[in-house]
Amino acid sequence: MGKRTIIPIGPYHPLLEEPELFKLYCDGEIVKDIKWETGYNHRGIEKLSESKTFDQVFFLVERVCGICSTSHPFAFANCLEEIANVEVPNRAKYIRSIIGELERIHSHLLWLGLAGHFLGYNTVFMWAWKYREPILDLFEMITGNRNSYAMFKLGGVRRDIPNQLIPEIQKHLDNFIPKLDLLTGAVMDDPVIHARTKGVGVLTKQDSIDFAAVGPTARASGVDIDVRRDDPYAAYPLVNWKVITAEAGDVFAKTEVRLLEMYEAVSIIKQCLEGLKKEKEGETEVIVKNVPAGMGTGRAEAPRGEVFHFMITDGGYSPVRHKIRAPSYVNIATFKKSCVGQTISDATITLAAVDPCYCCTERMAVAYDYYDHKPILSGIDLIKCSQQKTDDIRRKLL
Amino acid sequence: MFNDIFHFLVFPGLLFVATVGGILAWADRKITAMVQFRKGPPSLQPFYDFLKLLLVKETILPAKGSKITFLMVPVFSLFGATIAGVLILLPSLNIQTGFSGDLIVIFYLLAIPSLAYMVGAMASGNPLASVGASREMKLIMSYELTFFLVLSGIILKADMSIGINDVMHAQSQSGAFIGSLSGVILFLVAIFCLQAKLGLVPFDMAEAETEINHGPFIEYSGSAYALIKLTKYIMLFILPAFIAALFMGGLHWQGIDILWSILKILAVVVLLTLIRNTNPRVKIHQAMRFFFIWMNLFAVIAIILGMFGI
């Protein structure tokens, strides 16, 4: 064993958006071993959850991650509805799936941009994020927020998607497909990107199973898992779609899986919109009076993989125990196999390729009259204000 | 004596090359912004950056490094780049530099900034900087040979004369070198060498922001980093100027030729910027293979073609 240098990646490093420390034990440029320290960002959400009511926990778990801010409420809703034994109306199922898939598109685009940035290809970074903008506009139109959508509640969703909005959403999606084609072409056909990503950070199928990797990380290694199909929830059993897998297990395969998943997501949303037209407007929830004592689990496929929630209730208004497992936590462990033996340049893009997520928060706003405590702006007014503000900012920048 | 000091410090020396370099650095950033659908910085931004670093920001020295070497490095790199700039620009102003072999001298002077960065990185005692320095060293070893082959090709085409003046003279008689097939190949090879010398994508692995945090420069701050930034501005001007002088019929500073000279330099800068915005960063061993095998091969082919006058 020769002399080894420790190359620190983090806790604050341009490669990472959230604080995390990776220590690369290097011999020259070759990474011989890797160790990591997490826990810089611990916020005690599970403990906090025990002091909140079920309705409040939805907003709390939404803030576990700013990018997959729907997948945690999704899993939490599945969990709570299992305990309360509630069947959600079809319209709410479709709306839930639409939000989940829109989030997948925006999250994968965000990752694609960041991956370009990590490779020094800042043009891909800027382009991917520019094309992500219409998706965020779509979110603003449907939910009123660009991030942290606050759409989920026990027994359904908080807001309906009015049928008159459906053609406009379809138009947005149709406009999005050519842009996605452009990005896919730019990434999949670039010989230099091939040289940088093919055969880099390979995670074999066996390693992927051994380390219990989830989501695109596992699917790129040929492990055919997807919670949406294996443990059906929301509207996923009602529409036609397929699980994307690749065999190679390298960074390129992970990119490929994510790019193709975006096409699947667009197709799922379109089918859900068709399904929405058949359901009666306004039937978006069932009223749940109380949650009985019990135990339950909920799973949801986040853009990064399986989100798992476990909860114990005692018939009161709050969880007695709430356990969350986020996908990045399991995927990070695969670095032990995929990074060792690579050069530093390869190790950094491999670290980024599982898409460890970071947090950004926004708050819900309601305008009340100070004296008689009546709401003075309706939801639609607030959305208009929000869109107006976005437009103003955009005009100022251009 | 007074003339020499004027030439070094004011025109076409430090003040001039730094100002034009700053403007070109802005052009580089503005074009990048346009490619990426952004707005880009205001036109004086490079100068604001430089002055803020020089006058406002604190200079922090590494506790475990060699402080004198660490601080000498920015000065050395700045002087190397400035002298190279003076030697490149003087012949186009019709001022004799006093000796005829300036092409060789410029070749060595242009290598000084990269070598200096390497020494500074080693002196800072930072592990990320040392990774950057080792990459810079490998990169220098790979592109310098290619760059020398390019210069040999030029010397051959200019009837074995090793002065910029003679090269420009030869071009004014027989047309710009870029007009011939061997000239085009040499020009393309030279552009890739420039990309590596300037540390731009795809050959920015020595700095690699998202891998090793700007490698050699990680410990530099305040006025020391301001001088490094200034060196980078200067290099962004003099290297395209050097290429324009060698391939594109030379630079002339009388009458309408001033416009042509500016356009030539700008064209090279735009080309460099576009390459840097349409490629990801390659790995160091890929870059070495690229220069050792492919670029050297093309340079040799061009030289052989040049011998037959094609």
Side-chain angles (χ1 to χ4, degrees):
Chain A
M1 198 172 87
K3 204 176 156 192
R4 287 177 181 179
T5 321
I6 299 177
I7 301 291
I9 308 276
Y12 301 103
H13 190 277
L15 186 75
L16 306 165
E17 302 83 23
E18 59 184 335
E20 240 169 38
L21 174 59
F22 295 102
K23 288 181 189 161
L24 308 181
Y25 291 77
C26 295
D27 183 8
E29 280 259 340
I30 308 293
V31 179
K32 292 286 181 189
D33 197 6
I34 177 168
K35 285 185 180 160
W36 59 90
E37 287 171 18
T38 53
Y40 290 89
N41 223 358
H42 186 254
R43 289 167 292 168
I45 283 184
E46 289 177 5
K47 186 69 193 161
L48 212 55
S49 161
E50 291 165 15
S51 63
K52 307 250 178 225
T53 64
F54 291 122
D55 274 342
Q56 290 172 324
V57 175
F58 276 100
F59 300 110
L60 178 69
V61 292
E62 197 163 72
R63 277 146 185 84
V64 171
C65 170
I67 301 302
C68 34
S69 65
T70 273
S71 39
H72 284 282
F74 219 143
F76 181 70
N78 289 342
C79 178
L80 207 53
E81 279 153 17
E82 187 186 302
I83 296 174
N85 204 6
V86 177
E87 182 63 22
V88 184
N90 269 353
R91 196 175 177 86
K93 284 184 180 174
Y94 283 127
I95 294 175
R96 282 181 176 185
S97 285
I98 289 170
I99 300 292
E101 291 310 301
L102 276 176
E103 183 186 80
R104 196 175 314 279
I105 297 175
H106 106 82
S107 172
H108 283 352
L109 275 179
L110 182 133
W111 176 82
L112 184 69
L114 285 177
H117 173 59
F118 299 148
L119 285 176
Y121 202 163
N122 282 338
T123 309
V124 164
F125 178 34
M126 293 293 166
W127 284 37
W129 282 42
K130 178 187 161 69
Y131 296 143
R132 175 174 164 260
E133 203 68 4
I135 303 294
L136 293 184
D137 287 345
L138 214 49
F139 270 126
E140 195 176 5
M141 195 162 80
I142 296 173
T143 70
N145 294 319
R146 290 160 66 82
N147 270 335
S148 299
Y149 322 109
M151 277 296 265
F152 282 61
K153 68 186 285 189
L154 177 55
V157 290
R158 276 175 200 281
R159 295 184 194 83
D160 196 8
I161 298 179
N163 278 351
Q164 71 206 38
L165 268 184
I166 291 176
E168 205 173 333
I169 299 172
Q170 274 166 338
K171 203 180 79 193
H172 263 83
L173 290 173
D174 289 337
N175 290 341
F176 173 68
I177 287 288
K179 294 166 184 168
L180 188 54
D181 287 340
L182 177 81
L183 272 177
T184 312
V187 173
M188 305 284 258
D189 302 337
D190 190 323
V192 192
I193 287 188
H194 282 221
R196 273 310 305 274
T197 56
K198 276 204 169 163
V200 169
V202 177
L203 184 70
T204 59
K205 189 171 180 177
Q206 192 54 46
D207 287 340
S208 176
I209 294 169
D210 289 348
F211 280 86
V214 290
T217 310
R219 289 199 283 276
S221 301
V223 183
D224 192 8
I225 53 165
D226 194 317
V227 179
R228 290 174 291 172
R229 184 201 57 198
D230 302 338
D231 182 11
Y233 60 97
Y236 294 112
L238 306 175
V239 295
N240 278 326
W241 61 283
K242 60 176 189 291
V243 178
I244 307 285
T245 53
E247 293 302 320
D250 53 7
V251 177
F252 188 77
K254 285 172 185 143
T255 316
E256 195 185 354
V257 165
R258 289 200 173 93
L259 281 168
L260 296 178
E261 268 183 14
M262 280 193 265
Y263 285 103
E264 281 303 310
V266 171
S267 136
I268 292 175
I269 295 168
K270 281 189 171 168
Q271 293 177 52
C272 285
L273 288 172
E274 289 304 317
L276 217 51
K277 282 181 189 164
K278 293 183 198 123
E279 304 294 330
K280 201 173 142 226
E281 227 172 307
E283 271 185 4
T284 55
E285 58 174 321
V286 289
I287 306 293
V288 182
K289 288 278 165 57
N290 68 333
V291 180
M295 228 193 280
T297 59
R299 305 206 280 173
E301 184 76 14
R304 286 156 187 79
E306 176 193 337
V307 170
F308 179 85
H309 281 232
F310 167 77
M311 196 167 41
I312 301 176
T313 55
D314 60 355
Y317 295 115
S318 339
V320 176
R321 174 77 178 100
H322 186 188
K323 165 76 191 148
I324 302 172
R325 194 188 73 166
S328 293
Y329 191 74
V330 256
N331 283 343
I332 281 176
T334 63
F335 295 151
K336 202 85 186 171
K337 286 287 173 198
S338 55
C339 285
V340 173
Q342 309 274 326
T343 62
I344 295 171
S345 316
D346 288 342
T348 47
I349 183 66
T350 312
L351 291 183
V354 307
D355 195 6
C357 65
Y358 74 103
C359 182
C360 58
T361 52
E362 278 189 18
R363 309 239 184 284
M364 201 177 88
V366 180
Y368 279 104
D369 191 306
Y370 184 76
Y371 295 105
D372 56 9
H373 298 283
K374 280 183 185 155
I376 45 176
L377 290 170
S378 71
I380 292 187
D381 292 337
L382 282 173
I383 289 172
K384 274 189 187 142
C385 288
S386 165
Q387 280 172 339
Q388 182 68 38
K389 197 174 173 192
T390 313
D391 279 348
D392 285 349
I393 294 171
R394 209 169 270 162
R395 214 171 296 126
K396 226 178 273 173
L397 288 174
L398 288 175
Chain B
M1 182 63 195
F2 175 74
N3 258 351
D4 291 342
I5 292 174
F6 178 78
H7 284 153
F8 179 73
L9 284 181
V10 185
F11 186 82
L14 193 56
L15 196 64
F16 177 70
V17 286
T19 314
V20 179
I23 294 168
L24 286 176
W26 169 76
D28 170 53
R29 289 173 64 175
K30 191 76 181 175
I31 295 164
T32 305
M34 281 156 77
V35 171
Q36 298 175 350
F37 300 114
R38 289 189 287 117
K39 197 183 169 192
S43 57
L44 288 178
Q45 191 61 48
F47 301 104
Y48 296 149
D49 289 353
F50 169 70
L51 288 175
K52 189 175 100 175
L53 280 170
L54 186 71
L55 303 175
V56 184
K57 289 298 197 184
E58 186 190 359
T59 308
I60 301 162
L61 294 177
K64 290 185 179 164
S66 159
K67 294 185 179 56
I68 293 176
T69 322
F70 183 76
L71 285 178
M72 288 304 280
V73 158
V75 181
F76 266 106
S77 58
L78 180 63
F79 273 53
T82 311
I83 297 172
V86 172
L87 287 180
I88 290 168
L89 294 177
L90 276 183
S92 57
L93 298 164
N94 283 329
I95 299 168
Q96 290 300 324
T97 43
F99 60 98
S100 58
D102 51 2
L103 217 52
I104 308 292
V105 178
I106 289 168
F107 173 74
Y108 278 103
L109 287 173
L110 285 176
I112 286 184
S114 315
L115 290 170
Y117 298 154
M118 219 169 72
V119 174
M122 296 293 192
S124 73
N126 185 308
L128 292 171
S130 67
V131 173
S134 89
R135 289 185 182 181
E136 182 88 50
M137 198 187 304
K138 289 174 192 162
L139 196 62
I140 291 173
M141 287 196 303
S142 34
Y143 70 69
E144 284 296 348
L145 174 64
T146 315
F147 198 56
F148 195 77
L149 283 175
V150 171
L151 288 191
S152 328
I154 295 291
I155 292 167
L156 189 78
K157 287 175 85 71
D159 293 330
M160 297 298 170
S161 48
I162 44 171
I164 288 197
N165 234 337
D166 305 325
V167 172
M168 292 191 345
H169 189 65
Q171 290 187 76
S172 61
Q173 284 182 339
S174 60
F177 288 159
I178 200 171
S180 62
L181 178 63
S182 57
V184 171
I185 298 175
L186 282 178
F187 177 74
L188 290 177
V189 175
I191 287 287
F192 282 112
C193 287
L194 249 59
Q195 206 83 5
K197 264 185 180 300
L198 290 167
L200 301 177
V201 183
F203 303 115
D204 74 329
M205 66 291 281
E207 292 164 36
E209 182 203 346
T210 48
E211 290 167 21
I212 50 171
N213 263 337
H214 282 290
F217 312 121
I218 184 168
E219 292 288 345
Y220 280 101
S221 56
S223 44
Y225 190 54
L227 293 189
I228 285 181
K229 255 202 149 28
L230 197 63
T231 313
K232 294 205 157 228
Y233 296 164
I234 293 173
M235 291 297 271
L236 190 62
F237 170 42
I238 62 172
L239 279 170
F242 189 45
I243 292 301
L246 291 186
F247 287 98
M248 301 169 138
L251 304 167
H252 304 283
W253 301 100
Q254 290 99 18
I256 191 74
D257 283 337
I258 293 177
L259 185 67
W260 280 120
S261 304
I262 292 171
L263 283 181
K264 281 172 195 168
I265 293 171
L266 209 55
V268 177
V269 172
V270 169
L271 191 60
L272 293 173
T273 307
L274 288 182
I275 292 176
R276 115 179 156 98
N277 280 311
T278 47
N279 279 295
R281 180 189 312 125
V282 297
K283 285 179 272 186
I284 182 68
H285 70 263
Q286 289 170 333
M288 286 175 81
R289 199 183 308 143
F290 180 75
F291 279 109
F292 271 138
I293 299 175
W294 296 109
M295 288 299 107
N296 284 351
L297 183 70
F298 279 119
V300 170
I301 289 174
I303 290 172
I304 294 169
L305 287 176
M307 280 168 122
F308 293 108
I310 301 169

